[in-house]
Amino acid sequence: MPRLNIDGQIRSTHDLITREIAKRILGEVYVAGDTLPNEGDLIDEFRVSRTALRESLKTLAAKGLVVAKTKIGTRVLPSAFWNYFDPQVLSWRLELGVDSEFLVRLYEVRQALEPAAAAMAAVRRTPENIERMEQFLDQMDQKHATRQTYAEPDLWFHQEILMASHNPFIQSFGSIIEASILCAFEISAPIDSPERQALSISRHKLILDRIKERNAAGASEAMSDVIVEGIGNAHISMGNSPIIVSLPLSSAIP
């Protein structure tokens, strides 16, 4: 039977069980190598049918979180097997809170991909791509911005660069990890310092200028600098404390 979740969305019993077990794995309540409680115990705890429980475990197995072993049970897999490119896995992870290690790993992935995307965008961008980038940059450059009002156009600016690469694999990357990037941008938004905000805007503008000039190497370098700056701003914002966030699975891009 569907249930109303705390965010106001209707969730099926399958969704709720899957989410709860996944969060226990991602939060290391169940660690790699652990065998999940037996079916009877889980059925009693969640008050669900055996069919509903087994469907949830199949979903978790498909996402790389667990593996079923005959005569042993369902075992938790090491994190190297988890599919972090699955939007649900990312959303569950974000619900547990974001720490500096998570952000560093995310920035490493961005550093590996986004400078190359910026270089492709410099070669392949259309006038429409440029126009949208300019609009998003203008939205970032506003006084009295909040973390959300700064982070959202920042996300859209970066997403537009991925779109301007006209590479379907790169374009898909942005939509897959959109929620985690928005989370990172909210944390790293330099809104508490006019000087850092101005510097961030100028560095984003440099990316746009290099893309306009069709300067692939320059666009790549400028993008790399912005990503490094983001790591520094996130460190300033977070210190050593994890930040708990509440984000939708995805955000609509204008």
Side-chain angles (χ1 to χ4, degrees):
M1 178 181 297
R3 303 180 187 179
L4 187 65
N5 197 22
I6 57 174
D7 58 7
Q9 293 180 304
I10 299 296
R11 306 284 191 187
S12 69
T13 300
H14 168 270
D15 290 340
L16 290 170
I17 301 169
T18 305
R19 174 174 173 267
E20 178 58 31
I21 296 176
K23 288 178 66 175
R24 293 179 187 182
I25 294 170
L26 295 167
E28 298 185 343
V29 175
Y30 304 142
V31 300
D34 280 356
T35 300
L36 296 184
N38 63 49
E39 281 190 353
D41 290 341
L42 290 173
I43 288 170
D44 289 342
E45 177 182 357
F46 293 112
R47 299 181 182 179
V48 295
S49 68
R50 191 175 303 274
T51 298
L53 176 63
R54 288 181 175 178
E55 286 301 314
S56 292
L57 295 178
K58 286 180 182 178
T59 298
L60 295 172
K63 298 177 187 297
L65 299 180
V66 299
V67 62
K69 295 287 188 180
T70 304
K71 297 182 180 180
I72 296 176
T74 301
R75 179 168 293 173
V76 177
L77 288 172
S79 60
F81 292 88
W82 302 348
N83 183 7
Y84 271 115
F85 287 112
D86 184 296
Q88 279 191 312
V89 174
L90 271 178
S91 71
W92 294 328
R93 176 61 183 82
L94 291 175
E95 287 181 43
L96 295 172
V98 173
D99 56 22
S100 58
E101 180 181 359
F102 180 88
L103 287 181
V104 168
R105 297 295 175 259
L106 177 61
Y107 279 114
E108 287 173 347
V109 174
R110 292 184 59 213
Q111 192 66 272
L113 184 67
E114 288 193 67
M120 294 179 200
V123 176
R124 301 172 181 170
R125 88 293 190 280
T126 66
E128 291 75 20
N129 291 136
I130 294 296
E131 182 180 359
R132 286 190 287 268
M133 290 178 210
E134 290 174 335
Q135 291 173 353
F136 299 143
L137 188 58
D138 286 343
Q139 292 175 33
M140 291 171 63
D141 193 11
Q142 300 293 326
K143 293 182 179 179
H144 311 299
T146 65
R147 291 195 179 279
Q148 183 175 9
T149 62
Y150 189 90
E152 287 183 351
D154 191 3
L155 170 68
W156 300 332
F157 178 87
H158 285 264
Q159 297 283 58
E160 189 61 36
I161 291 172
L162 299 182
M163 296 301 294
S165 73
H166 295 278
N167 180 307
F169 295 100
I170 288 176
Q171 290 171 334
S172 295
F173 168 81
S175 61
I176 289 170
I177 67 169
E178 180 180 317
S180 57
I181 291 178
L182 180 58
C183 168
F185 283 3
E186 286 189 349
I187 292 171
S188 64
I191 52 128
D192 55 341
S193 167
E195 294 77 16
R196 286 195 294 117
Q197 184 173 349
L199 178 60
S200 178
I201 295 295
S202 68
R203 285 182 168 167
H204 281 77
K205 186 177 185 302
L206 183 60
I207 298 173
L208 178 57
D209 289 343
R210 295 297 178 261
I211 290 175
K212 284 181 178 179
E213 297 162 2
R214 298 192 183 276
N215 181 343
S220 177
E221 182 179 356
M223 176 62 79
S224 181
D225 289 343
V226 163
I227 294 170
V228 170
E229 177 194 49
I231 298 174
N233 286 337
H235 177 73
I236 291 171
S237 297
M238 292 183 69
N240 294 319
S241 301
I243 293 180
I244 305 299
V245 296
S246 177
L247 296 174
L249 184 58
S250 64
S251 307
I253 296 180

